[in-house]
Amino acid sequence: MNAIFDALKPTPASYLKAEREISTGKEGSLRHVRVAVLGTFTTNYLKPYLTVEGARRGLSIDAYFGPFNQMEQETLDESSALYQFDPDVVIVASRLEEMTPDLVNRFLKLSAEEIDALGERSLERLRALLQAVRQKTAATVLLFNFAPPSLLNAGLADAGMVDSQTAVISRLNGSLARVAGSLSGVFVFDLARVITEVGIRRAFDAKLWHMARLPFSVDAQIAIGERLARTIRAAVLPPCKCLAVDLDNTLWGGVVGEDGLGGIALGDECPGNAYKDFQRELLSLRDRGVLLAIASKNNEDDALAVFDKHPDCLLKREHFAATQIHWGDKAESLLAIAQELNLGLDSVAFLDDSPAEREWVRMKMPEVLVLDFPAGPPTFRTIEESGAFDQLVISGEDRERTIFYQRESERSKLQTQSVSLEEFLGDLDITVSIGQVDNDTLPRVAQLVGKTNQFNLTTRRHTEGAISDMLSRGCIALWMRVKDRFGDYGLVGVALAMPLTAKRWEIDTFLLSCRMIGRRAEDALLAVLIRQISARGGEVVEGVYIPTAKNAQVKAFFPARGFRVCGTETDRWEWDLSQGSYLAPDLLKVRFDDESDD
Amino acid sequence: MSPMTEDRLCRVLAEVFGVPAEQINEDSSPDTIENWDSASHINMILSLESEFDVKLTPEHAMEMLSVKLIRMILEELGVKDFK
């Protein structure tokens, strides 16, 4: 497969050839995704780029392209080819150039009121279309935003206008983001950014537009294909949660053990400024919620001295959630980091300047994502464009996560002082709040459903759209927040139950964020869930365990809580409410915000 | 290996239309190659521009309806080396 990508050139011929090779190769390890594209221009030229760039990112994309400029026909009609295709992802590639040509071509003849009205009309059209897609499928929807026009109607003067054409379009993109955000499972695809990166002059091709209703040059088509593939990957696969970095020649230039604290390159002058900039970028990655860890072969004292004493070292010890500095095997270090942070190895990305270490880790721990490291000081672009940390939404919980882990280490210190687990948990003063999933909590709930691996009984990856659909079919959906005397962990648990019959319910999904494991909060969630099922007339609650490579720790979850084996099945247990209700542990304060009664 | 597979023009067309280069000859056209439709024609034009470093106009595109005609137009634009 790699040979195909190595031979790739930026031409349609090369991508078409690669597309054929990929589709005949039938690599079994690729994740299959059905992608439908609707647009106001001929979108089917994007196919080879989407397919090849998808395969490069582990996706086998089966694409459907709607007929040119028939977005309404496709979305409003339930029997359309779009819905028969049964897509996992729907891409809405609409452009202002076709939807409201005057905003792009005759901007100066429009009054302020007309500009607002035209913008509003386009957004309304998209809103209606998106709502139709939302009602008829559970697919994730990606909505193109509006690119800067290829030419400005006012020419040089645009820059001086208060409500310039540029400003109006960028404001429309803000409104577009609000439209997308108001619908579950709808996300903005930043076409404007892709076109700007390619360069406006290079991205548009008037000849192609005139010949084929295709506005974009080959370079832009490739860039759009790449970014779409990255976005689709982020929609269907969870991101890495931890970046483990080497130290010498990665966080600073030179080798601290040989060059000494004053001899390494790190500061405001070249070459040290490249490393200082890179450290700043890693801090920004940490702000997104990615945990940083160290995997370095070094004398621990030498290495830690840089963090403690070097005036230009922006990263400090407390920024790292786990640290492995010794002369042992790096693959083992990564395993230790994953275990300490309660993560699977496939949630860990590894950055190291040494090709030998990278190769070693690739061989010994194929689950770990080994990042490229081109010659010279590291650049953040390589990390960003690897897609390792791509997420379509960054939630408040993501931004707070790194602080949680900092507290976690304080807590484990407390755990070693306390006597029994009960005393320890009592000491923590844990409060659990549970409530019904609504529009405000749905994005975070879907995020947890999409990425929780370990404490996850069924690992059913429902999207936002799918959960909305389940709710409309009578699903009981609960979220759980947890706080203790060290802080608020945010929304960390989800339980979904579906009625099988009027009296028999199945726990479809039951999961807990890994940082909550070991606090008995799951028992509180289970207790409230069973109470809710009972309130809805349920008499028997079935619990399922679907084994995966990651969730062995919850294998005995149901039997350990007094659920009885369900007939002859081995992975299914039941709680008969005639045997009594399920009680939450006394140690926890449980609050249930029940809004379903009003 | 037949001499045609070393021909850059035939190789580009083979890649675009998904047929073996051996099956392409000077008389190949939209009538003889199944995948040569209006969409792949555009991809062919773009790939020729890149392979031979030429700019093709919509008029060129409309005339390029057989391998012979494509070769003639490319030669008119100064392409000498097809190997």
Side-chain angles (χ1 to χ4, degrees), chain A residues 240-242 291 335 337-348 405 454 514 550:
Chain A
C240 287
K241 294 167 185 165
C242 170
L291 303 171
L335 184 63
I337 288 167
Q339 282 167 349
E340 184 178 340
L341 299 176
N342 240 330
L343 298 173
L345 275 172
D346 60 357
S347 293
V348 178
Y405 276 85
Q454 298 185 84
C514 60
K550 308 281 181 54

Side-chain angles (χ1 to χ4, degrees), chain A residues 232 249 340 592:
Chain A
I232 294 166
N249 286 316
E340 184 178 340
F592 181 53

Side-chain angles (χ1 to χ4, degrees), chain A residues 289-566:
Chain A
V290 174
L291 303 171
L292 301 180
I294 299 174
S296 165
K297 287 185 181 167
N298 241 313
N299 291 326
E300 193 172 17
D301 291 346
D302 291 343
L304 291 178
V306 182
F307 297 105
D308 294 343
K309 292 186 188 142
H310 198 293
D312 287 304
C313 193
L314 300 175
L315 288 163
K316 303 292 173 201
R317 281 194 209 205
E318 63 264 27
H319 295 135
F320 295 96
T323 305
Q324 292 283 326
I325 308 175
H326 48 69
W327 295 98
D329 181 345
K330 279 214 185 178
E332 295 299 325
S333 291
L334 293 173
L335 184 63
I337 288 167
Q339 282 167 349
E340 184 178 340
L341 299 176
N342 240 330
L343 298 173
L345 275 172
D346 60 357
S347 293
V348 178
F350 175 55
L351 183 74
D352 196 314
D353 65 296
S354 154
E357 294 290 5
R358 296 203 297 273
E359 192 47 39
W360 175 251
V361 170
R362 251 185 229 118
M363 255 169 47
K364 294 276 285 187
M365 306 257 154
E367 303 94 328
V368 170
L369 186 103
V370 178
L371 295 165
D372 288 339
F373 198 116
T379 60
F380 191 71
R381 183 174 289 279
T382 321
I383 297 178
E384 175 64 24
E385 292 184 352
S386 73
F389 303 104
D390 279 346
Q391 288 184 263
L392 298 187
V393 182
I394 294 177
S395 62
E397 277 81 4
D398 288 327
R399 294 194 201 184
E400 298 293 320
R401 179 175 306 120
T402 48
I403 301 168
F404 295 138
Y405 276 85
Q406 221 161 299
R407 291 202 203 103
E408 189 68 29
S409 68
E410 293 167 34
R411 231 183 320 267
S412 31
K413 279 172 204 148
L414 185 64
Q415 191 157 14
T416 55
Q417 292 158 13
S418 292
V419 194
S420 70
L421 182 65
E422 276 65 29
E423 274 177 333
F424 166 71
L425 292 174
D427 237 22
L428 282 179
D429 208 10
I430 300 169
T431 307
V432 173
S433 320
I434 293 168
Q436 313 269 12
V437 173
D438 57 15
N439 281 338
D440 293 337
T441 44
L442 184 55
R444 169 63 180 162
V445 164
Q447 191 191 34
L448 277 178
V449 169
K451 71 180 189 181
T452 305
N453 293 320
Q454 298 185 84
F455 201 113
N456 192 338
L457 270 303
T458 57
T459 322
R460 290 177 182 156
R461 303 295 192 198
H462 304 300
T463 59
E464 270 191 54
I467 297 172
S468 298
D469 181 48
M470 287 166 71
L471 283 169
S472 69
R473 288 186 287 123
C475 175
I476 294 176
L478 301 177
W479 52 259
M480 173 171 69
R481 301 181 65 96
V482 178
K483 61 183 178 190
D484 65 20
R485 67 186 171 92
F486 290 102
D488 189 339
Y489 301 88
L491 204 162
V492 288
V494 175
L496 308 177
M498 287 293 288
L500 297 173
T501 64
K503 294 180 175 168
R504 194 167 257 281
W505 286 64
E506 183 195 74
I507 301 180
D508 175 90
T509 294
F510 194 92
L511 61 86
L512 199 64
S513 162
C514 60
R515 59 173 189 260
M516 260 316 99
I517 293 172
R519 284 181 183 66
R520 314 276 307 267
E522 61 274 22
D523 290 311
L525 182 59
L526 184 62
V528 173
L529 181 69
I530 292 178
R531 212 161 68 215
Q532 285 299 297
I533 292 173
S534 164
R536 297 268 285 268
E539 291 175 5
V540 180
V541 182
E542 284 188 16
V544 202
Y545 166 71
I546 302 177
T548 69
K550 308 281 181 54
N551 70 352
Q553 63 166 284
V554 290
K555 189 177 180 9
F557 179 79
F558 290 117
R561 280 160 181 76
F563 278 59
R564 290 174 195 153
V565 177
C566 212

